[in-house]
Amino acid sequence: MKHFRESFRQLQYYGYGIFRGDPNPHHVSIYHKFNPMQSMTYQIIMMILVPIQFFSGLLLWDVARFSTTVDMLGGVRVVDTVHVIIFIFFVGYIFGHPYLASLGHTPTAHFKAMFTG
């Protein structure tokens, strides 16, 4: 439960507090490089969305070969819709990631830290 509260605090900071000049609720340490929201997002992406994207893409790659599985999942339209929705999420993530990275004390501070450690 603590992780979700901290994620919500981080979300409030990114959505509202950062524009008011509030301090970041997460403080980077050697054992906590990612804030709770980053940690949860990366886990959802890597453990759920990437495998679903890969599996749905594999099914769409050769629909005739995988027709039994595609039909069991609701047909080509359902599999394709899931695949496209996850793609749209990834595109939004690609645009949102540089924006959030530019929210450091200077616009390039987090980018420099990515390269220099």
Side-chain angles (χ1 to χ4, degrees):
M1 195 57 139
K2 178 183 174 191
H3 189 74
F4 291 107
R5 276 195 310 271
E6 290 176 358
S7 295
F8 186 70
R9 282 182 45 218
Q10 196 68 41
L11 184 64
Q12 285 178 315
Y13 170 72
Y14 282 140
Y16 181 71
I18 197 167
F19 301 110
R20 291 183 31 194
D22 293 348
N24 191 335
H26 176 72
H27 302 288
V28 176
S29 71
I30 198 163
Y31 297 110
H32 296 98
K33 292 184 180 188
F34 299 120
N35 68 47
M37 195 170 84
Q38 289 171 322
S39 173
M40 188 170 53
T41 302
Y42 292 149
Q43 289 177 28
I44 289 169
I45 288 171
M46 296 309 290
M47 293 182 195
I48 298 172
L49 295 182
V50 169
I52 292 172
Q53 186 75 349
F54 175 80
F55 185 67
S56 64
L58 184 66
L59 294 176
L60 293 170
W61 172 57
D62 193 351
V63 176
R65 180 184 296 172
F66 302 116
S67 62
T68 305
T69 307
V70 170
D71 291 340
M72 184 177 67
L73 294 172
V76 173
R77 182 173 286 177
V78 172
V79 174
D80 183 55
T81 301
V82 168
H83 193 74
V84 170
I85 287 171
I86 294 174
F87 165 75
I88 291 168
F89 174 81
F90 284 154
V91 169
Y93 185 78
I94 288 170
F95 283 108
H97 201 256
Y99 166 71
L100 291 172
S102 70
L103 297 177
H105 60 279
T106 66
T108 59
H110 291 300
F111 292 106
K112 288 178 186 173
M114 283 184 222
F115 290 104
T116 62

